[in-house]
Amino acid sequence: MVVTWRRPKPIGERPVLMRMEAVDKAFRGGIVALREMDLSVHEGDFISLLGPSGCGKSTALRLIAGLMRPTRGAIRWQGAAEIGVVFQEPTLMPWATVEENVFLPFRLKGRRFVEVAEDIALALRLVGLERFARAYPRELSGGMRMRVSIARAMVTRPKLILMDEPFAALDEITRHKLNADLLEWKEKIDATVIFVTHSVFESVFLSDRIVVMAARPGRVLRELAVDAPYPRGEAFRTSADYAALCRGASAALHEAMGEPA
Ligand code: ADP
Ligand code: MG
């Protein structure tokens, strides 16, 4: 499969996929995990939610995934969108092979392996693990397990992929490689991504928009546009533009943490 990088249309010309409108989420005990969160997601976006721990990033993701309901406000979808989710832990079934793990979303829909074997092979080829289809998770490195987890999220070709600090536990070299690969995979399957991280560097490298959040109560502080073209690789990561964008995002994050930048 060859990547054909499209010139992204200006955001105003891309259809809206989902909108969060003044969403509150309160938990028992009075914790306000999110207050009045507004977020517009357009098809093809790569959005990062960046903020200190406890600012409601995971809560926002779980609300979008439909795993919880807002206390107030609404999440509006433009049509039905299939969603894939990736967590910080790869959450693979240890007793099942790589291909059986990637089969899971289809199995949950009542499909049989033979019907979707080709999709599974394609997803494994996408993430570079075609030779490990019959391996078990314990035989793989942390980075490879995360690749399996991403293949499982992408195997049904979802429109929207939600990722909650997926690379936080990986070493830096593996993380850089997965960052670059993720941009390529997103392009190949034509997905929209919402990516949670507390890393300024990761959010700038990946995103076209960064939503900076603050805690107590969890809220959106500001949105930053990362106006750098895709594809992005090591040349971008070492550029002066990247350094300047990271300084800007870092200042916003310090503000979110209530500290001087
Ligand atoms: P983040 O992912 O940005 O670290 P979370 O969304 O996990 O933040 O949490 C936001 C706030 O909501 C935190 O104060 C957290 O303790 C609280 N919280 C999250 N989930 C629950 C829950 N199920 N019950 C009670 N409080 C929760
Ligand atoms: Mg979290």
Coordinates of all heavy atoms in Angstrom, one line a residue, residues 72-158:
R72 N -24.0 17.3 31.6 CA -24.7 18.4 31.0 C -24.1 18.6 29.6 O -22.9 18.2 29.4 CB -24.6 19.7 31.8 CG -25.8 20.6 31.6 CD -25.8 21.8 32.6 NE -26.0 21.3 34.0 CZ -25.2 21.7 35.0 NH1 -24.1 22.3 34.8 NH2 -25.5 21.3 36.3
G73 N -24.8 19.2 28.7 CA -24.3 19.5 27.4 C -24.5 18.3 26.5 O -25.1 17.3 26.9
A74 N -23.9 18.4 25.3 CA -24.2 17.4 24.3 C -23.0 17.1 23.4 O -22.1 17.9 23.2 CB -25.4 17.8 23.4
I75 N -23.0 15.8 22.9 CA -22.0 15.4 21.9 C -22.8 15.1 20.7 O -23.6 14.1 20.7 CB -21.2 14.2 22.4 CG1 -20.4 14.6 23.7 CG2 -20.2 13.8 21.3 CD1 -19.5 13.6 24.3
R76 N -22.6 15.8 19.6 CA -23.4 15.7 18.4 C -22.5 15.1 17.3 O -21.4 15.6 17.0 CB -23.9 17.0 17.9 CG -24.9 17.6 18.9 CD -25.6 18.8 18.3 NE -26.2 19.6 19.4 CZ -27.2 19.2 20.2 NH1 -27.9 18.1 19.9 NH2 -27.7 20.0 21.2
W77 N -23.0 14.1 16.6 CA -22.3 13.4 15.6 C -22.9 13.7 14.2 O -24.2 13.8 14.1 CB -22.3 11.9 15.8 CG -21.5 11.5 17.0 CD1 -22.0 11.4 18.3 CD2 -20.2 11.1 17.0 NE1 -21.0 11.0 19.1 CE2 -19.9 10.8 18.4 CE3 -19.2 11.0 16.0 CZ2 -18.6 10.5 18.7 CZ3 -17.9 10.7 16.4 CH2 -17.6 10.4 17.8
Q78 N -22.1 13.9 13.2 CA -22.6 14.0 11.9 C -22.7 12.6 11.3 O -21.7 12.1 10.7 CB -21.6 14.9 11.1 CG -22.2 16.1 10.3 CD -23.2 16.8 11.1 OE1 -24.4 16.6 11.0 NE2 -22.8 17.8 11.9
G79 N -23.8 12.0 11.4 CA -23.9 10.6 10.9 C -23.3 9.7 11.9 O -22.7 10.1 12.9
A80 N -23.3 8.4 11.6 CA -22.7 7.4 12.5 C -21.3 7.2 12.2 O -20.9 7.0 11.0 CB -23.5 6.0 12.3
A81 N -20.4 7.3 13.2 CA -19.0 7.1 13.0 C -18.5 5.9 13.7 O -18.8 5.8 14.9 CB -18.2 8.3 13.4
E82 N -17.8 5.0 13.1 CA -17.2 3.9 13.8 C -15.9 4.5 14.5 O -15.2 5.3 14.0 CB -16.8 2.8 12.8 CG -16.0 1.7 13.4 CD -16.5 0.4 12.9 OE1 -17.2 0.3 12.0 OE2 -16.0 -0.6 13.5
I83 N -15.7 4.0 15.7 CA -14.6 4.5 16.5 C -13.6 3.4 16.9 O -14.1 2.3 17.2 CB -15.2 5.1 17.8 CG1 -16.1 6.3 17.5 CG2 -14.0 5.6 18.7 CD1 -16.7 6.9 18.7
G84 N -12.3 3.7 16.8 CA -11.3 2.7 17.3 C -10.6 3.4 18.5 O -10.5 4.6 18.5
V85 N -10.3 2.6 19.6 CA -9.7 3.2 20.8 C -8.4 2.5 21.1 O -8.3 1.3 21.0 CB -10.7 3.0 22.0 CG1 -10.1 3.8 23.2 CG2 -12.1 3.6 21.6
V86 N -7.4 3.3 21.5 CA -6.1 2.7 21.9 C -5.8 3.4 23.3 O -5.8 4.6 23.4 CB -5.0 3.1 20.9 CG1 -3.7 2.5 21.4 CG2 -5.3 2.6 19.5
F87 N -5.5 2.5 24.2 CA -5.1 3.0 25.6 C -3.6 2.9 25.8 O -2.9 2.4 25.0 CB -5.8 2.2 26.6 CG -7.3 2.3 26.5 CD1 -8.1 1.2 26.0 CD2 -8.0 3.4 27.0 CE1 -9.4 1.3 25.9 CE2 -9.4 3.5 26.9 CZ -10.1 2.4 26.3
Q88 N -3.2 3.5 26.9 CA -1.7 3.5 27.2 C -1.2 2.0 27.3 O -0.1 1.7 26.9 CB -1.5 4.2 28.6 CG 0.0 4.3 28.9 CD 0.3 5.1 30.1 OE1 -0.5 6.0 30.5 NE2 1.5 4.9 30.7
E89 N -2.0 1.2 28.0 CA -1.6 -0.2 28.0 C -2.2 -0.9 26.7 O -3.3 -0.6 26.4 CB -2.2 -0.9 29.2 CG -1.7 -0.4 30.5 CD -0.2 -0.6 30.7 OE1 0.3 -1.6 30.2 OE2 0.5 0.4 31.2
P90 N -1.4 -1.8 26.1 CA -1.9 -2.4 24.8 C -3.1 -3.2 25.1 O -3.9 -3.5 24.1 CB -0.7 -3.2 24.3 CG 0.5 -2.7 25.1 CD 0.0 -2.1 26.4
T91 N -3.4 -3.7 26.3 CA -4.5 -4.5 26.7 C -4.8 -5.6 25.7 O -5.9 -5.8 25.2 CB -5.8 -3.7 26.8 OG1 -6.1 -3.1 25.5 CG2 -5.7 -2.6 27.8
L92 N -3.7 -6.4 25.4 CA -3.9 -7.6 24.5 C -4.3 -8.8 25.4 O -3.9 -8.9 26.6 CB -2.6 -7.9 23.8 CG -2.1 -6.7 23.0 CD1 -0.7 -7.0 22.3 CD2 -3.1 -6.3 21.9
M93 N -4.9 -9.8 24.7 CA -5.2 -11.0 25.4 C -4.0 -11.9 25.3 O -3.5 -12.2 24.2 CB -6.4 -11.7 24.7 CG -7.7 -10.9 24.6 SD -9.0 -11.7 23.7 CE -8.3 -11.6 22.0
P94 N -3.4 -12.2 26.5 CA -2.1 -12.9 26.5 C -2.2 -14.3 25.9 O -1.2 -14.9 25.4 CB -1.7 -12.9 28.0 CG -2.9 -12.7 28.8 CD -3.8 -11.9 27.9
W95 N -3.4 -14.9 26.0 CA -3.5 -16.3 25.6 C -3.8 -16.4 24.1 O -3.9 -17.5 23.5 CB -4.6 -17.0 26.4 CG -6.0 -16.3 26.1 CD1 -6.9 -16.5 25.1 CD2 -6.5 -15.3 26.9 NE1 -7.9 -15.7 25.2 CE2 -7.8 -14.9 26.3 CE3 -6.1 -14.6 28.1 CZ2 -8.6 -13.9 26.8 CZ3 -6.9 -13.6 28.6 CH2 -8.1 -13.3 28.0
A96 N -3.9 -15.3 23.4 CA -4.3 -15.3 22.0 C -3.1 -14.8 21.2 O -2.3 -14.0 21.6 CB -5.5 -14.4 21.8
T97 N -3.1 -15.2 19.9 CA -2.0 -14.8 19.0 C -2.3 -13.4 18.6 O -3.3 -12.8 18.8 CB -1.9 -15.7 17.8 OG1 -3.2 -15.5 17.1 CG2 -1.6 -17.1 18.1
V98 N -1.3 -12.8 17.9 CA -1.4 -11.4 17.4 C -2.6 -11.3 16.5 O -3.4 -10.4 16.7 CB -0.1 -11.0 16.7 CG1 -0.3 -9.8 15.8 CG2 1.0 -10.8 17.7
E99 N -2.8 -12.2 15.6 CA -3.9 -12.1 14.6 C -5.2 -12.3 15.3 O -6.2 -11.7 15.0 CB -3.7 -13.0 13.4 CG -3.7 -14.5 13.7 CD -3.5 -15.3 12.4 OE1 -3.2 -14.8 11.4 OE2 -3.6 -16.6 12.6
E100 N -5.2 -13.2 16.3 CA -6.5 -13.4 17.1 C -6.8 -12.1 17.9 O -8.0 -11.8 18.0 CB -6.4 -14.6 18.0 CG -6.4 -15.9 17.3 CD -5.9 -17.1 18.1 OE1 -5.4 -16.8 19.3 OE2 -5.9 -18.2 17.6
N101 N -5.8 -11.4 18.4 CA -6.1 -10.2 19.1 C -6.6 -9.1 18.1 O -7.5 -8.4 18.5 CB -4.8 -9.7 19.7 CG -4.6 -10.2 21.1 OD1 -5.2 -9.7 22.1 ND2 -3.7 -11.2 21.3
V102 N -6.1 -9.0 16.9 CA -6.5 -8.0 16.0 C -7.9 -8.4 15.5 O -8.7 -7.5 15.1 CB -5.5 -7.9 14.8 CG1 -6.0 -7.0 13.7 CG2 -4.2 -7.4 15.4
F103 N -8.3 -9.6 15.5 CA -9.6 -10.1 15.1 C -10.7 -9.6 16.0 O -11.9 -9.5 15.7 CB -9.6 -11.6 15.0 CG -10.9 -12.3 14.8 CD1 -11.8 -11.9 13.8 CD2 -11.3 -13.3 15.7 CE1 -13.0 -12.6 13.6 CE2 -12.5 -14.0 15.5 CZ -13.4 -13.6 14.4
L104 N -10.3 -9.3 17.3 CA -11.3 -9.1 18.4 C -12.5 -8.1 17.9 O -13.7 -8.5 18.2 CB -10.7 -8.5 19.6 CG -11.6 -8.3 20.8 CD1 -12.2 -9.6 21.4 CD2 -10.9 -7.5 21.9
P105 N -12.2 -6.9 17.4 CA -13.4 -6.1 17.0 C -14.4 -6.7 16.1 O -15.6 -6.5 16.2 CB -12.7 -4.8 16.4 CG -11.3 -4.9 16.7 CD -11.0 -6.3 17.0
F106 N -13.9 -7.6 15.2 CA -14.8 -8.3 14.3 C -15.6 -9.4 15.0 O -16.7 -9.6 14.8 CB -14.0 -8.9 13.1 CG -13.5 -7.9 12.1 CD1 -12.2 -7.9 11.8 CD2 -14.4 -7.1 11.4 CE1 -11.7 -7.0 10.8 CE2 -14.0 -6.2 10.4 CZ -12.6 -6.2 10.1
R107 N -14.8 -10.0 15.9 CA -15.5 -11.1 16.7 C -16.6 -10.5 17.5 O -17.7 -11.1 17.6 CB -14.5 -11.8 17.6 CG -14.9 -13.2 18.0 CD -13.9 -13.8 19.0 NE -14.0 -13.2 20.3 CZ -13.1 -13.4 21.3 NH1 -12.1 -14.2 21.1 NH2 -13.2 -12.8 22.4
L108 N -16.4 -9.3 18.1 CA -17.5 -8.7 18.9 C -18.7 -8.3 18.0 O -19.8 -8.2 18.5 CB -16.9 -7.4 19.6 CG -15.8 -7.7 20.6 CD1 -15.3 -6.4 21.1 CD2 -16.4 -8.6 21.7
K109 N -18.5 -8.2 16.7 CA -19.6 -8.0 15.8 C -20.2 -9.3 15.2 O -21.0 -9.2 14.3 CB -19.1 -7.1 14.6 CG -18.7 -5.7 14.9 CD -18.2 -5.1 13.7 CE -17.7 -3.7 14.0 NZ -17.8 -2.8 12.9
G110 N -19.7 -10.4 15.7 CA -20.2 -11.7 15.3 C -19.7 -12.1 13.9 O -20.2 -13.1 13.3
R111 N -18.6 -11.6 13.5 CA -18.0 -12.0 12.2 C -17.1 -13.2 12.5 O -16.6 -13.4 13.6 CB -17.1 -10.9 11.6 CG -17.8 -9.6 11.4 CD -18.8 -9.6 10.2 NE -18.2 -9.9 8.9 CZ -17.7 -9.0 8.2 NH1 -17.7 -7.7 8.5 NH2 -17.1 -9.3 7.0
R112 N -16.8 -14.0 11.4 CA -16.0 -15.2 11.5 C -14.6 -14.8 11.0 O -14.5 -14.0 10.1 CB -16.5 -16.4 10.8 CG -17.8 -16.9 11.5 CD -18.3 -18.2 10.8 NE -18.3 -18.1 9.4 CZ -17.7 -19.0 8.6 NH1 -17.2 -20.1 9.1 NH2 -17.7 -18.9 7.3
F113 N -13.6 -15.5 11.6 CA -12.2 -15.1 11.2 C -11.9 -15.2 9.7 O -11.4 -14.3 9.1 CB -11.2 -16.0 11.9 CG -9.8 -15.6 11.8 CD1 -9.2 -14.8 12.8 CD2 -9.0 -16.0 10.7 CE1 -7.8 -14.3 12.7 CE2 -7.7 -15.5 10.6 CZ -7.1 -14.7 11.6
V114 N -12.4 -16.3 9.1 CA -12.1 -16.5 7.6 C -12.7 -15.3 6.8 O -12.2 -15.0 5.7 CB -12.7 -17.8 7.1 CG1 -11.8 -19.0 7.6 CG2 -14.1 -18.0 7.4
E115 N -13.8 -14.8 7.2 CA -14.5 -13.7 6.5 C -13.6 -12.4 6.4 O -13.7 -11.6 5.5 CB -15.8 -13.3 7.1 CG -16.9 -14.3 7.1 CD -18.1 -13.9 8.0 OE1 -18.1 -12.8 8.5 OE2 -18.9 -14.8 8.1
V116 N -12.8 -12.2 7.5 CA -12.1 -11.0 7.7 C -10.6 -11.2 7.7 O -9.8 -10.2 8.0 CB -12.5 -10.2 8.9 CG1 -14.0 -9.8 8.8 CG2 -12.3 -11.1 10.2
A117 N -10.1 -12.4 7.4 CA -8.7 -12.7 7.4 C -7.9 -11.7 6.6 O -6.8 -11.3 7.0 CB -8.4 -14.1 6.9
E118 N -8.4 -11.3 5.5 CA -7.7 -10.4 4.6 C -7.5 -9.0 5.3 O -6.5 -8.4 5.2 CB -8.4 -10.2 3.3 CG -7.6 -9.8 2.1 CD -8.3 -10.1 0.8 OE1 -8.7 -11.2 0.6 OE2 -8.4 -9.1 0.1
D119 N -8.6 -8.5 5.9 CA -8.5 -7.2 6.7 C -7.5 -7.3 7.8 O -6.8 -6.3 8.0 CB -9.9 -6.9 7.3 CG -11.0 -6.7 6.2 OD1 -11.2 -5.6 5.7 OD2 -11.6 -7.8 5.9
I120 N -7.5 -8.4 8.4 CA -6.5 -8.6 9.5 C -5.1 -8.6 9.0 O -4.2 -7.9 9.5 CB -6.8 -9.9 10.3 CG1 -8.2 -9.8 11.0 CG2 -5.7 -10.2 11.3 CD1 -8.7 -11.1 11.6
A121 N -4.9 -9.3 7.9 CA -3.5 -9.3 7.3 C -3.1 -7.9 6.8 O -2.0 -7.5 7.0 CB -3.5 -10.3 6.1
L122 N -4.1 -7.2 6.3 CA -3.8 -5.8 5.8 C -3.4 -4.9 7.0 O -2.4 -4.1 6.9 CB -5.0 -5.2 5.2 CG -5.1 -5.4 3.7 CD1 -6.4 -4.8 3.2 CD2 -3.9 -4.6 3.0
A123 N -4.1 -5.0 8.1 CA -3.9 -4.2 9.3 C -2.5 -4.5 9.9 O -1.7 -3.7 10.3 CB -4.9 -4.4 10.4
L124 N -2.1 -5.8 9.9 CA -0.8 -6.2 10.4 C 0.3 -5.8 9.4 O 1.4 -5.4 9.9 CB -0.7 -7.8 10.6 CG -1.5 -8.2 11.8 CD1 -1.5 -9.8 11.9 CD2 -1.0 -7.6 13.1
R125 N 0.0 -5.8 8.1 CA 1.0 -5.3 7.2 C 1.2 -3.8 7.4 O 2.3 -3.2 7.4 CB 0.6 -5.6 5.8 CG 1.8 -5.4 4.8 CD 1.4 -5.7 3.4 NE 0.6 -6.9 3.3 CZ -0.3 -7.1 2.3 NH1 -0.4 -6.2 1.4 NH2 -1.0 -8.2 2.2
L126 N 0.1 -3.1 7.6 CA 0.1 -1.6 7.8 C 1.1 -1.3 9.0 O 1.9 -0.4 8.8 CB -1.3 -1.1 8.2 CG -1.5 0.4 8.5 CD1 -1.4 1.2 7.2 CD2 -2.8 0.7 9.2
V127 N 1.0 -2.0 10.1 CA 1.9 -1.7 11.2 C 3.2 -2.4 11.2 O 4.0 -2.3 12.2 CB 1.1 -1.9 12.6 CG1 -0.2 -1.1 12.6 CG2 0.8 -3.4 12.8
G128 N 3.5 -3.1 10.1 CA 4.8 -3.8 10.0 C 4.9 -5.1 10.8 O 6.0 -5.4 11.1
L129 N 3.8 -5.7 11.0 CA 3.9 -7.0 11.9 C 3.4 -8.2 11.1 O 3.0 -9.2 11.8 CB 3.1 -6.8 13.2 CG 3.7 -5.8 14.2 CD1 2.9 -5.8 15.5 CD2 5.1 -6.2 14.6
E130 N 3.4 -8.2 9.8 CA 2.9 -9.3 9.1 C 3.6 -10.6 9.4 O 3.0 -11.7 9.4 CB 2.9 -9.0 7.5 CG 4.2 -8.8 6.9 CD 4.7 -7.4 6.9 OE1 4.5 -6.7 7.9 OE2 5.2 -6.9 5.9
R131 N 4.8 -10.5 9.8 CA 5.6 -11.8 10.1 C 5.3 -12.3 11.5 O 5.8 -13.3 11.9 CB 7.1 -11.5 9.9 CG 7.5 -11.4 8.4 CD 9.0 -11.3 8.2 NE 9.6 -10.2 8.9 CZ 10.4 -10.3 9.9 NH1 10.8 -11.5 10.3 NH2 10.9 -9.2 10.5
F132 N 4.5 -11.5 12.3 CA 4.3 -11.9 13.7 C 2.8 -12.3 13.9 O 2.4 -12.3 15.1 CB 4.7 -10.7 14.6 CG 6.2 -10.5 14.6 CD1 6.7 -9.6 13.6 CD2 7.0 -11.1 15.4 CE1 8.1 -9.4 13.6 CE2 8.4 -10.9 15.4 CZ 9.0 -10.1 14.5
A133 N 2.1 -12.6 12.9 CA 0.7 -12.9 13.0 C 0.4 -14.0 14.0 O -0.5 -14.0 14.8 CB 0.1 -13.2 11.6
R134 N 1.3 -15.0 14.0 CA 1.1 -16.2 14.9 C 1.9 -16.1 16.2 O 1.9 -17.1 17.0 CB 1.5 -17.5 14.2 CG 0.8 -17.7 12.8 CD -0.7 -18.2 13.1 NE -1.5 -18.0 11.9 CZ -1.5 -18.8 10.8 NH1 -0.7 -19.9 10.8 NH2 -2.3 -18.6 9.8
A135 N 2.5 -15.0 16.4 CA 3.3 -14.8 17.7 C 2.3 -14.5 18.8 O 1.2 -14.1 18.6 CB 4.3 -13.7 17.5
Y136 N 2.8 -14.7 20.1 CA 2.0 -14.3 21.2 C 2.5 -13.0 21.8 O 3.7 -12.7 21.6 CB 2.1 -15.4 22.3 CG 1.3 -16.6 21.9 CD1 1.8 -17.6 21.1 CD2 -0.1 -16.7 22.3 CE1 1.0 -18.7 20.7 CE2 -0.9 -17.8 21.9 CZ -0.3 -18.8 21.1 OH -1.1 -19.8 20.7
P137 N 1.7 -12.2 22.5 CA 2.1 -10.9 23.0 C 3.4 -11.0 23.8 O 4.2 -10.1 23.7 CB 0.9 -10.5 23.8 CG -0.3 -11.1 23.2 CD 0.2 -12.4 22.7
R138 N 3.6 -12.0 24.6 CA 4.8 -12.1 25.4 C 6.1 -12.1 24.6 O 7.1 -11.9 25.1 CB 4.7 -13.3 26.4 CG 4.7 -14.6 25.7 CD 4.8 -15.8 26.7 NE 4.7 -17.0 25.9 CZ 3.6 -17.6 25.6 NH1 2.4 -17.1 26.0 NH2 3.6 -18.7 24.9
E139 N 6.0 -12.6 23.4 CA 7.1 -12.7 22.5 C 7.5 -11.3 21.9 O 8.5 -11.3 21.2 CB 6.9 -13.7 21.4 CG 6.5 -15.1 22.0 CD 6.1 -16.0 20.8 OE1 5.0 -16.0 20.4 OE2 7.0 -16.9 20.4
L140 N 6.7 -10.3 22.1 CA 6.9 -9.0 21.4 C 7.5 -8.0 22.4 O 7.2 -8.0 23.6 CB 5.6 -8.5 20.8 CG 4.8 -9.5 19.9 CD1 3.6 -8.8 19.5 CD2 5.7 -9.9 18.8
S141 N 8.2 -7.0 21.8 CA 8.6 -5.8 22.6 C 7.4 -4.9 22.9 O 6.4 -5.1 22.3 CB 9.7 -5.0 21.8 OG 9.0 -4.4 20.7
G142 N 7.6 -4.0 23.8 CA 6.6 -3.0 24.2 C 6.1 -2.3 23.0 O 4.9 -2.1 22.8
G143 N 7.0 -1.8 22.1 CA 6.6 -1.1 20.9 C 5.8 -1.9 20.0 O 4.8 -1.5 19.4
M144 N 6.2 -3.2 19.8 CA 5.5 -4.1 18.9 C 4.1 -4.4 19.5 O 3.1 -4.5 18.7 CB 6.2 -5.4 18.7 CG 7.5 -5.2 17.9 SD 8.7 -6.6 18.1 CE 8.1 -7.8 17.0
R145 N 4.0 -4.5 20.8 CA 2.6 -4.8 21.4 C 1.7 -3.6 21.1 O 0.5 -3.7 20.8 CB 2.7 -5.0 22.9 CG 3.1 -6.4 23.2 CD 3.1 -6.6 24.7 NE 4.2 -7.4 25.1 CZ 5.0 -7.3 26.1 NH1 4.7 -6.4 27.0 NH2 6.0 -8.0 26.3
M146 N 2.3 -2.4 21.2 CA 1.5 -1.2 20.9 C 1.1 -1.2 19.4 O 0.0 -0.8 19.1 CB 2.3 0.1 21.3 CG 1.4 1.4 21.2 SD -0.2 1.3 21.9 CE 0.1 1.3 23.6
R147 N 2.0 -1.6 18.6 CA 1.6 -1.8 17.1 C 0.4 -2.7 16.9 O -0.5 -2.4 16.2 CB 2.8 -2.3 16.3 CG 3.8 -1.2 16.1 CD 5.1 -1.8 15.4 NE 6.1 -0.8 15.4 CZ 6.2 0.1 14.3 NH1 5.5 0.0 13.3 NH2 7.1 1.1 14.4
V148 N 0.4 -3.8 17.7 CA -0.7 -4.7 17.6 C -2.0 -4.0 18.1 O -3.1 -4.1 17.5 CB -0.5 -6.0 18.5 CG1 -1.7 -6.9 18.4 CG2 0.8 -6.7 18.0
S149 N -1.9 -3.3 19.2 CA -3.1 -2.6 19.7 C -3.6 -1.6 18.7 O -4.8 -1.4 18.6 CB -2.6 -1.9 21.0 OG -3.7 -1.2 21.6
I150 N -2.7 -0.9 18.0 CA -3.1 0.0 17.0 C -3.7 -0.7 15.8 O -4.8 -0.2 15.2 CB -2.0 1.0 16.6 CG1 -1.6 1.8 17.8 CG2 -2.4 1.9 15.4 CD1 -0.3 2.6 17.6
A151 N -3.1 -1.8 15.4 CA -3.7 -2.6 14.3 C -5.1 -3.0 14.6 O -6.1 -3.0 13.8 CB -2.9 -3.8 14.0
R152 N -5.4 -3.4 15.9 CA -6.7 -3.8 16.3 C -7.7 -2.7 16.3 O -8.8 -2.8 15.9 CB -6.6 -4.4 17.8 CG -7.9 -4.9 18.3 CD -7.8 -5.4 19.7 NE -7.2 -4.3 20.6 CZ -6.8 -4.5 21.8 NH1 -6.8 -5.7 22.4 NH2 -6.3 -3.5 22.5
A153 N -7.2 -1.5 16.6 CA -8.1 -0.3 16.5 C -8.4 0.1 15.1 O -9.4 0.7 14.8 CB -7.4 0.9 17.3
M154 N -7.4 -0.2 14.2 CA -7.6 0.3 12.8 C -8.2 -0.8 11.9 O -8.6 -0.4 10.7 CB -6.3 0.7 12.2 CG -5.7 2.0 12.9 SD -4.2 2.5 12.1 CE -4.0 4.2 12.8
V155 N -8.3 -2.0 12.3 CA -8.7 -3.1 11.4 C -10.1 -2.9 10.8 O -10.3 -3.4 9.7 CB -8.5 -4.5 12.2 CG1 -9.6 -4.7 13.2 CG2 -8.4 -5.6 11.1
T156 N -11.0 -2.3 11.5 CA -12.3 -2.1 11.0 C -12.4 -0.8 10.2 O -13.5 -0.4 9.8 CB -13.4 -2.1 12.1 OG1 -13.0 -1.1 13.0 CG2 -13.5 -3.4 12.8
R157 N -11.2 -0.1 10.0 CA -11.2 1.2 9.2 C -12.1 2.2 9.9 O -13.0 2.8 9.1 CB -11.6 1.0 7.8 CG -10.6 0.0 7.0 CD -9.3 0.7 6.8 NE -8.3 -0.2 6.3 CZ -7.6 0.0 5.2 NH1 -7.7 1.1 4.6 NH2 -6.6 -0.8 4.9
P158 N -12.0 2.5 11.2 CA -12.9 3.4 11.8 C -12.6 4.8 11.3 O -11.5 5.1 10.8 CB -12.5 3.3 13.3 CG -11.1 2.8 13.3 CD -11.0 1.9 12.1

